[in-house]
Amino acid sequence: YKFWNTQPVPKFREPNLLQTTSGENGESLPEGPILPDKICKASAKPEPEKLLEGFEWCLVDLDDKEELQELYDLLYNHYVEDTDGSFRFNYSTQFLAWALKPPGWRKDWHIGVRTKSASGEGGKKGKLVAFIAGIPVTLKVRGSKLQASEINFLTIHRKLRSKRLAPVLIKEVTRRCYQNGVYQALYTAGTLLPTPISTCRYFHRSLDWEHLYKTGFSHMPPNSSELRQKLKYKLEAQPGTKGLRAMTREDVPGVRELLGRYLERFHLRQEFSEEEIEHWLCSQASKDVVWSYVVEQDGKVTDFMSYYLLESTVLRGTRNETIRAAYLYYYATDAAFPSPTSPKPKAASLQATLKARLELLVHDALILAKQDNFHVFNAVTLLDNPLFLKEQKFEPGDGKLHYYLFNWRTALLPGGVNEANAVDAGRMGGVGIVML
Ligand SMILES: CCCCCCCCCCCCCC(=O)SCCNC(=O)CCNC(=O)[C@H](O)C(C)(C)COP(=O)(O)OP(=O)(O)OC[C@H]1O[C@@H](n2cnc3c(N)ncnc32)[C@H](O)[C@@H]1OP(=O)(O)O
Ligand SMILES: Cc1c(COc2ccc(F)c(F)c2F)oc2cccc(OCCCNCc3cccnc3)c12
């Protein structure tokens, strides 16, 4: 039987709020909202979506250690696994607090579903069995600036799957966004839903091949050996870039300016305030979650790069093994801009300069991550990543990362891969947002 009253079939066919620019008979439609703001606002009911008996809505208070732990436990046991169910993301409590409480965060966008506790009203809290979260984000999509929400960490307890609860959670977070005057949302998913605006692919660069082999993350390629694999991924003991040092709060204005200019080269990107740059890259909240480095030359920040820690639990093994993965986060370099002195360089030589610079920065990131005992370094084919993935020995992952923009019509964006799903540096300039 169904826990959830399947929503009455809507009288009219609900507009697909995820579509690209061509209409039914191929005519090109204008960029912009699919449902006008005032329609969204008017449609936001004052009451939450109905849940069937035995379940109730709740807010998950991430400032409460106990509730943060409950969320951690729900995700630890029921969040995303890789395609063949060998690994599951293990977002730490510090990571979740950092990811879900950026400047401007809203308590009413941390939405949970609990079982109704036996003692009815006001008794002990029931069990947290589902969650969905949104955070506020300022998006730039081609020429448009949107105050949107970023939706993430949608999770339903395994025992409550395939009961149409996900659409109820999505409707509820939509309602609360509308109530707050937010009519667009950005999210990623590994599953193919109506109309992604872009599709990327993730890549993995081995740092500790033996550990990845032992845990079943990596396999022995034909006619290779453990020694040969270790040699293939061997790294220098120290980074090589002159002027490379850990980012500090004093670097925030310089990094914000550099990143802002660098991201203008991508059709989909986020605008960051100084508070947001600090939060995401070098705050107390990002400690032990994000590592950020700058390159300072003649008192100026000319480059920066960062990566975040996200462990995965190994599900098959007996001993509760873990994979410590570093994920390439934001970076920027002034090698992307024509230098004011040299005459207008040809695009090809500018890209060659950028590629060379990014190789050095990412190679140093690999060395630093290896120093900190990470087992693997992951990256997605967004930003300028296609310029260095192959050379830096990243191998393709077995899934895709689809980007979705809810209630905003815009043309498809290149995701750094071609039709054959191979990395393609000719398909850059689209996605400039790194999703956690
Ligand atoms: C303006 C503001 C708007 C705000 C909202 C914007 C939209 C936000 C959208 C959410 C962004 C999330 C971003 C992330 O967090 S992506 C990570 C998602 N989480 C996981 O993968 C964790 C493990 N899996 C689960 O917990 C469940 O399997 C989930 C919860 C994923 C589905 O639960 P369940 O397996 O019990 O299924 P159901 O019977 O309830 O419902 C089946 C329906 O749900 C559709 N479905 C399945 N997976 C997803 C998915 N990842 N995004 C959107 N829709 C999804 C599916 O097409 C089907 O619809 P329809 O095709 O039959 O109609
Ligand atoms: C997703 C994803 C994978 C899929 O493979 C794994 C999934 C879970 C694991 F525990 C694991 F170890 C994987 F390799 O490998 C990645 C490497 C780099 C970045 C990745 O996703 C980044 C954004 C994930 N955010 C939300 C989300 C989560 C899951 C599916 N789709 C979207 C991924």
Side-chain angles (χ1 to χ4, degrees):
Y1 69 103
K2 287 202 180 299
F3 277 83
W4 322 102
N5 57 329
T6 36
Q7 307 300 319
V9 175
K11 317 266 177 305
F12 52 94
R13 196 174 65 79
E14 280 183 347
N16 167 8
L17 296 183
L18 289 157
Q19 61 189 0
T20 52
T21 44
S22 53
E24 251 106 31
N25 35 36
E27 80 285 7
S28 80
L29 298 164
E31 310 259 340
I34 295 163
L35 261 189
D37 295 1
K38 61 179 184 303
I39 302 274
C40 298
K41 190 142 193 86
S43 73
K45 304 182 193 71
E47 290 310 309
E49 293 294 317
K50 240 181 110 24
L51 290 174
L52 273 197
E53 267 323 291
F55 296 88
E56 61 191 4
W57 292 109
C58 70
L59 294 182
V60 180
D61 177 0
L62 301 182
D63 287 329
D64 177 306
K65 240 169 104 59
E66 226 175 75
E67 297 207 5
L68 178 60
Q69 186 63 37
E70 283 186 281
L71 176 61
Y72 170 83
D73 292 338
L74 176 70
L75 297 178
Y76 181 83
N77 291 302
H78 305 285
Y79 195 48
V80 176
E81 296 174 7
D82 67 316
T83 35
D84 51 7
S86 309
F87 309 99
R88 188 183 304 129
F89 282 139
N90 176 14
Y91 285 88
S92 69
T93 52
Q94 303 95 306
F95 191 114
L96 293 169
W98 167 72
L100 295 174
K101 292 194 283 175
W105 68 279
R106 306 190 55 89
K107 292 181 84 64
D108 57 344
W109 287 3
H110 298 160
I111 303 164
V113 173
R114 287 183 187 277
T115 55
K116 266 193 182 139
S117 50
S119 56
E121 300 314 310
K124 199 166 59 65
K125 274 180 285 194
K127 185 174 162 31
L128 183 66
V129 293
F131 181 73
I132 189 167
I135 57 170
V137 60
T138 302
L139 293 184
K140 290 291 294 272
V141 185
R142 292 192 165 90
S144 305
K145 181 164 170 173
L146 308 175
Q147 296 308 327
S149 59
E150 216 172 69
I151 308 296
N152 207 342
F153 303 109
L154 166 63
T155 314
I156 294 178
H157 191 291
R158 210 179 301 285
K159 292 209 187 84
L160 297 175
R161 296 275 172 86
S162 310
K163 297 180 184 309
R164 311 297 303 172
L165 172 56
V168 178
L169 284 161
I170 293 166
K171 280 193 171 72
E172 184 56 17
V173 74
T174 304
R175 185 183 72 89
R176 297 184 192 198
C177 289
Y178 287 178
Q179 282 183 324
N180 291 298
V182 169
Y183 307 108
Q184 276 77 34
L186 178 74
Y187 57 100
T188 55
T191 45
L192 187 57
L193 307 161
T195 359
I197 54 158
S198 193
T199 297
C200 299
R201 191 171 183 186
Y202 23 82
F203 278 71
H204 313 282
R205 204 280 187 189
S206 177
L207 299 176
D208 177 342
W209 190 84
E210 189 176 351
H211 182 83
L212 296 178
Y213 181 54
K214 254 180 38 227
T215 54
F217 189 92
S218 298
H219 305 288
M220 181 66 75
N223 50 59
S224 184
S225 68
E226 247 188 80
L227 180 65
R228 198 192 298 264
Q229 291 299 102
K230 284 183 187 175
L231 287 177
K232 174 178 176 184
Y233 295 112
K234 194 164 170 45
L235 289 162
E236 299 81 353
Q238 293 303 331
T241 307
K242 217 169 57 60
L244 184 73
R245 63 171 172 78
M247 178 177 173
T248 68
R249 291 212 167 100
E250 286 69 39
D251 300 312
V252 165
V255 165
R256 177 175 180 249
E257 196 274 332
L258 177 63
L259 181 58
R261 276 181 74 201
Y262 180 80
L263 290 179
E264 279 173 8
R265 300 160 61 252
F266 301 91
H267 288 312
L268 173 66
R269 63 192 186 274
Q270 184 171 343
E271 281 198 349
F272 295 97
S273 65
E274 283 197 6
E275 292 72 25
E276 286 170 323
I277 292 285
E278 177 172 347
H279 173 79
W280 290 118
L281 293 174
C282 63
S283 61
Q284 190 53 34
S286 67
K287 199 169 163 316
D288 303 331
V289 178
V290 182
W291 283 259
S292 306
Y293 297 89
V294 295
V295 177
E296 180 178 343
Q297 300 182 69
D298 313 324
K300 211 169 151 352
V301 169
T302 56
D303 317 76
F304 95 95
M305 50 93 181
S306 56
Y307 52 85
Y308 60 82
L309 159 65
L310 168 56
E311 296 200 17
S312 286
T313 309
V314 180
L315 300 175
R316 294 274 155 67
T318 45
R319 308 183 303 287
N320 52 1
E321 295 259 27
T322 192
I323 290 177
R324 273 173 58 85
Y327 288 72
L328 186 59
Y329 195 40
Y330 284 103
Y331 59 80
T333 171
D334 64 9
F337 321 126
S339 65
T341 49
S342 84
K344 200 156 171 26
K346 279 191 287 308
S349 72
L350 187 58
Q351 188 168 85
T353 312
L354 174 60
K355 176 182 168 71
R357 189 70 185 158
L358 289 179
E359 299 260 25
L360 284 175
L361 286 172
V362 172
H363 194 73
D364 278 351
L366 296 173
I367 291 169
L368 291 161
K370 169 86 180 172
Q371 281 180 354
D372 285 337
N373 296 320
F374 284 89
H375 299 126
V376 66
F377 199 104
N378 291 333
V380 182
T381 55
L382 38 75
L383 292 172
D384 288 307
N385 297 354
L387 290 179
F388 55 75
L389 288 172
K390 232 182 243 2
E391 291 76 359
Q392 291 306 313
K393 301 177 183 173
F394 283 78
E395 303 296 335
D398 60 1
K400 296 183 179 178
L401 198 60
H402 303 291
Y403 273 72
Y404 300 94
L405 192 49
F406 180 95
N407 192 24
W408 192 262
R409 183 182 290 118
T410 190
L412 280 180
L413 298 169
V417 285
N418 60 25
E419 292 78 16
N421 202 23
V423 200
D424 184 340
R427 303 275 180 121
M428 300 189 301
V431 180
I433 290 204
V434 183
M435 288 288 280
L436 302 173

